[in-house]
Amino acid sequence: ATESEAGDMDLSGLPETAVDSEDDDDEEDIERASDPLMSRDIVRDCLEKDPIDRTDDDIEQLLEFMHQLPAFANMTMSVRRELCAVMVFAVVERAGTIVLNDGEELDSWSVILNGSVEVTYPDGRTEILCMGNSFGVSPTMEKEYMKGVMRTKVDDCQFVCIAQQDYCRILNQVEKNMQKVEEEGEIVMVKEHRELDRTGTRKGHIVIKGTAERLTMHLVEEHSVVDPTFIEDFLLTYRTFLSSPMEVGKKLLEWFNDPSLRDKVTRVVLLWVNNHFNDFEGDPAMTRFLEEFENNLEREKMGGHLRLLNIACAAKAKRRLITLTKPSREAPLPFILLGGSEKGFGIFVDSVDFGSKATEAGLKRGDQILEVNGQNFENIQLSKAMEILRNNTHLSITVKTNLFVFKELLTRLSEEKRNGAPHLPKIGDIKKASRYSIPDLAVDVEQVIGLEKVNKKSKANTVGGRNKLKKILDKTRISILPQKPYNDIGIGQSQDDSIVGLRQTKHIPPALPVSGTLSSSNPDLLQSHHRILDFNTTPDLPDQVLRVFKADQQSRYIMISKDTTAKEVVIQAIREFALTATPDAYSLCEVSVTPEGVIKQRRLPDQLSKLADRIQLSGR
């Protein structure tokens, strides 16, 4: 704190906080509570009471204020509490007033709360004491005398004084309240006896210091009623005295094997994941620890704890952006992926090359890839995902830790390996999957429905065409989803929110030309450009509208979902504008105007999705 020459209170040692908030009564209350001036008033009210009349709340207010002052910094909480209970408030109104004369007997220990004093020693030396500094007796009952003359430097100097007898008793009592834990003749932990209230009901020992090993061990020991947050405190502060969190992780895995400690270890891990999930997210070793711990819970059939852990992991995981650059398209990827929509899962990282740029960037096992270069990866086939990753040298990858689903994927894969058969997704597995395409059968919808005419301008995916199509479907009673979870026609999955799927009927000719190069994630590239939608399944309906312009400023409205890709919009637009060209002849572009009036045009990548969210206010 700096000394203040003005007559006002010296607030330089206190945190600055905005105090003028007139917007709202609630805000004013919050400001008042955090306003130093206001808190000084509350503290002064508490100090002006006779010590006998101070309540526990008063003492808490004083503690909150006093612990900021250097004089109280090295004291334990219980000592500060005891001193706050007996301290007396004193004010010296005028600057230049003599507080203590040279040789005067000292009868108290005092701390400056406001203002400053100057001590002039007999040899002419001077010393200035400011807010938070202390002077007076040491913790002994022997007589002590003032050396030098003490004068106030400013008006309204405020002090708290503790009588010598109280000061001596409280500081010496601390030694009696200490409990030292020794191992092989060395002190490894120090605890202090504390009473949290005056009734004596809440009392016990609280850990105040210890060796790193002993503090770690205390995680799974009984904690007293006065030390209920030891685990939380340890998990917050261990990083200041341990070089790696795995020092704690290894111990916890070791202790888990002891049935008597198992529940305590699990509680520590749950608190750790809940309070500091970034300890796991940024550290591959800690991710492995979490996997191993989950396996242990599974092995011991602790299903309830496992569910809690998975819920905490899912809730705390944050989306992370990882940027990687490959020297060339041919360069191998520094990680291995698993999953894909064909398995009913997202795309997951199985392993990352040790020491690679991907490891340095924070990519790790168990990460789910959500997006790559703006393209949605939440519902994409593994082969398609690998193709996108291989074909780009600059990769901007959005990931999120999702160990729970990753473990499900590993279980599924091991079952497949054991049973020797690939997993075919059931309807239940694919409730999250957006659309089913029929990669192997280029079936014209007109043949299936057997209608008089559904010409090439069929508006299956536009506002006008929906009601017509719904009536047609109601009339013909064609099932949208296969009757069985899967059948001979083979179900793939792709990135669109509408659902396609046809029951094999007698209308299908026995032999149809099948192209071997068609993409199952783009069913619109099949010979048929018509879709059948299930209008009874509302979440799977397109729920957004794009207005697409041609160069001659004609426009059409096209219904899409968040997972519809730019390529799919092009196919629909060609149909809506009744163009005869192939989709490859056109691309979707965004035209925007900068604040300076410059018109810019950029081509959108074919696989870009979430189109309605991406368009700028100044763009088309």
Side-chain angles (χ1 to χ4, degrees):
T2 57
E3 80 179 89
S4 167
E5 294 296 336
D8 295 331
M9 282 195 281
D10 175 14
L11 300 174
S12 54
L14 291 166
E16 289 182 21
T17 315
V19 291
D20 53 341
S21 170
E22 293 170 8
D23 302 342
D24 184 20
D25 289 344
D26 292 345
E27 278 187 33
E28 238 174 75
D29 293 341
I30 293 163
E31 293 289 359
R32 197 174 289 128
S34 58
D35 168 14
L37 274 171
M38 207 64 202
S39 84
R40 289 291 288 254
D41 287 347
I42 295 167
V43 168
R44 184 161 182 161
D45 288 346
C46 297
L47 285 171
E48 286 178 341
K49 287 185 182 179
D50 191 299
I52 299 166
D53 297 331
R54 277 180 204 147
T55 64
D56 285 342
D57 284 345
D58 293 336
I59 289 169
E60 287 303 321
Q61 288 285 355
L62 293 176
L63 267 175
E64 186 62 32
F65 181 78
M66 300 301 167
H67 90 271
Q68 306 170 61
L69 306 176
F72 295 96
N74 290 325
M75 295 176 178
T76 63
M77 183 68 80
S78 63
V79 169
R80 283 201 290 262
R81 189 184 300 278
E82 297 255 356
L83 293 175
C84 287
V86 297
M87 58 179 51
V88 177
F89 188 52
V91 181
V92 178
E93 299 284 353
R94 296 274 163 233
T97 306
I98 293 177
V99 179
L100 287 167
N101 279 306
D102 186 40
E104 188 177 328
E105 187 180 336
L106 298 171
D107 61 358
S108 65
W109 179 76
S110 305
V111 179
I112 303 167
L113 293 192
N114 186 61
S116 58
V117 297
E118 184 178 55
V119 181
T120 308
Y121 292 104
D123 61 3
R125 274 187 312 114
T126 61
E127 183 185 1
I128 291 170
L129 301 177
C130 307
M131 175 181 162
N133 294 150
S134 64
F135 59 90
V137 295
S138 51
T140 169
M141 288 309 291
E142 290 173 17
K143 287 191 177 183
E144 292 181 70
Y145 301 92
M146 179 67 189
K147 287 179 184 157
V149 177
M150 182 182 285
R151 288 184 179 84
T152 54
K153 287 268 292 173
V154 294
D155 289 349
D156 191 34
C157 280
Q158 301 173 8
F159 309 88
V160 286
C161 310
I162 289 114
Q164 183 176 18
Q165 193 173 349
D166 288 333
Y167 183 63
C168 185
R169 170 181 59 78
I170 292 165
L171 263 72
N172 289 329
Q173 184 66 32
V174 171
E175 200 57 40
K176 292 177 193 163
N177 284 342
M178 292 293 185
Q179 180 189 352
K180 293 173 181 173
V181 181
E182 291 190 16
E183 286 175 8
E184 297 175 4
E186 282 187 26
I187 296 170
V188 291
M189 185 182 276
V190 178
K191 297 178 180 180
E192 181 191 41
H193 180 77
R194 283 192 191 169
E195 292 187 19
L196 291 191
D197 53 34
R198 293 177 177 182
T199 61
T201 52
R202 296 178 64 206
K203 59 184 180 182
H205 283 87
I206 189 166
V207 174
I208 57 170
K209 57 185 173 180
T211 61
E213 297 76 22
R214 195 68 190 73
L215 290 174
T216 307
M217 192 182 294
H218 194 60
L219 286 170
V220 290
E221 293 175 334
E222 289 299 329
H223 302 139
S224 78
V225 69
V226 295
D227 199 5
T229 59
F230 176 81
I231 296 172
E232 289 94 327
D233 298 342
F234 179 92
L235 294 172
L236 178 68
T237 57
Y238 78 82
R239 56 207 84 230
T240 63
F241 55 84
L242 291 176
S243 56
S244 162
M246 272 311 292
E247 292 181 42
V248 183
K250 282 176 188 162
K251 284 286 181 194
L252 291 173
L253 288 173
E254 186 186 311
W255 291 328
F256 186 84
N257 295 322
D258 180 347
S260 65
L261 298 177
R262 205 163 280 159
D263 281 343
K264 289 175 183 171
V265 169
T266 307
R267 180 168 182 262
V268 173
V269 176
L270 282 170
L271 282 168
W272 199 350
V273 166
N274 195 58
N275 294 357
H276 307 285
F277 193 66
N278 52 321
D279 286 357
F280 302 90
E281 276 195 316
D283 189 335
M286 288 302 288
T287 305
R288 285 195 296 275
F289 158 77
L290 211 50
E291 255 190 277
E292 192 176 338
F293 190 75
E294 286 193 342
N295 291 336
N296 289 350
L297 288 176
E298 222 168 307
R299 185 190 71 218
E300 299 301 333
K301 301 197 168 34
M302 295 171 73
H305 293 91
L306 184 58
R307 272 193 300 280
L308 282 173
L309 187 60
N310 287 327
I311 290 165
C313 288
K316 295 293 175 178
K318 294 185 182 74
R319 291 167 76 100
R320 311 188 319 274
L321 185 65
I322 287 169
T323 307
L324 297 175
T325 309
K326 294 194 299 177
S328 67
R329 287 187 176 189
E330 292 73 38
L333 292 168
F335 47 82
I336 294 169
L337 301 181
L338 292 176
S341 57
E342 65 272 30
K343 303 252 180 227
F345 284 87
I347 302 293
F348 284 85
V349 176
D350 181 39
S351 62
V352 185
D353 294 352
F354 184 74
S356 65
K357 293 280 183 196
T359 306
E360 286 173 26
L363 191 68
K364 59 184 183 7
R365 178 177 165 86
D367 279 344
Q368 181 181 358
I369 298 181
L370 304 177
E371 205 174 80
V372 174
N373 294 357
Q375 296 175 41
N376 192 327
F377 264 48
E378 291 183 58
N379 194 16
I380 187 174
Q381 292 191 328
L382 183 59
S383 56
K384 187 79 183 168
M386 293 299 291
E387 185 186 325
I388 292 166
L389 289 162
R390 286 196 183 108
N391 287 345
N392 288 284
T393 52
H394 179 84
L395 297 170
S396 184
I397 308 173
T398 303
V399 299
K400 184 177 177 180
T401 304
N402 197 347
L403 278 174
F404 180 44
V405 179
F406 178 61
K407 284 197 67 192
E408 275 188 10
L409 171 60
L410 293 179
T411 308
R412 175 77 48 79
L413 293 173
S414 64
E415 279 172 12
E416 283 179 15
K417 204 171 181 182
R418 208 165 45 244
N419 301 336
H423 168 77
L424 290 163
K426 304 183 187 77
I427 292 299
D429 294 339
I430 21 190
K431 56 180 180 260
K432 286 186 188 167
S434 317
R435 181 178 66 189
Y436 304 94
S437 56
I438 307 169
D440 303 327
L441 288 179
V443 181
D444 196 318
V445 175
E446 285 146 289
Q447 290 175 304
V448 178
I449 299 181
L451 298 171
E452 309 92 72
K453 271 186 184 177
V454 180
N455 62 23
K456 281 187 183 173
K457 286 190 190 177
S458 165
K459 297 186 177 182
N461 249 8
T462 60
V463 181
R466 284 175 66 185
N467 294 334
K468 288 182 199 168
L469 187 58
K470 187 168 185 348
K471 285 174 189 166
I472 291 165
L473 292 173
D474 287 343
K475 275 185 203 166
T476 52
R477 298 185 183 284
I478 292 243
S479 166
I480 301 301
L481 290 173
Q483 281 177 313
K484 294 184 281 182
Y486 42 86
N487 59 23
D488 302 336
I489 60 177
I491 297 166
Q493 292 162 312
S494 68
Q495 284 180 281
D496 189 74
D497 268 357
S498 47
I499 292 189
V500 165
L502 299 173
R503 186 170 62 191
Q504 282 188 307
T505 72
K506 60 189 173 189
H507 297 296
I508 298 176
L512 282 165
V514 176
S515 162
T517 57
L518 292 175
S519 160
S520 60
S521 63
N522 278 318
D524 303 291
L525 301 183
L526 305 173
Q527 290 176 1
S528 160
H529 293 324
H530 305 292
R531 273 185 207 172
I532 295 181
L533 297 172
D534 179 358
F535 288 97
N536 298 318
T537 321
T538 45
D540 295 314
L541 278 176
D543 57 357
Q544 296 172 335
V545 178
L546 281 190
R547 189 180 181 190
V548 179
F549 292 83
K550 270 203 316 178
D552 61 5
Q553 298 308 301
Q554 285 187 52
S555 66
R556 294 284 186 277
Y557 288 97
I558 291 176
M559 289 206 62
I560 63 162
S561 75
K562 65 179 173 64
D563 290 333
T564 306
T565 63
K567 181 81 170 175
E568 290 167 337
V569 170
V570 168
I571 290 160
Q572 290 183 48
I574 287 171
R575 193 185 311 151
E576 290 307 313
F577 285 115
L579 303 170
T580 53
T582 62
D584 295 337
Y586 285 86
S587 63
L588 189 64
C589 297
E590 182 181 6
V591 179
S592 57
V593 183
T594 67
E596 294 77 36
V598 179
I599 296 174
K600 290 187 171 181
Q601 178 173 315
R602 70 180 185 107
R603 176 177 172 161
L604 302 177
D606 286 348
Q607 293 303 317
L608 192 72
S609 57
K610 295 182 183 167
L611 297 168
D613 299 335
R614 295 180 193 278
I615 193 153
Q616 303 170 47
L617 287 172
S618 59
R620 277 186 177 184

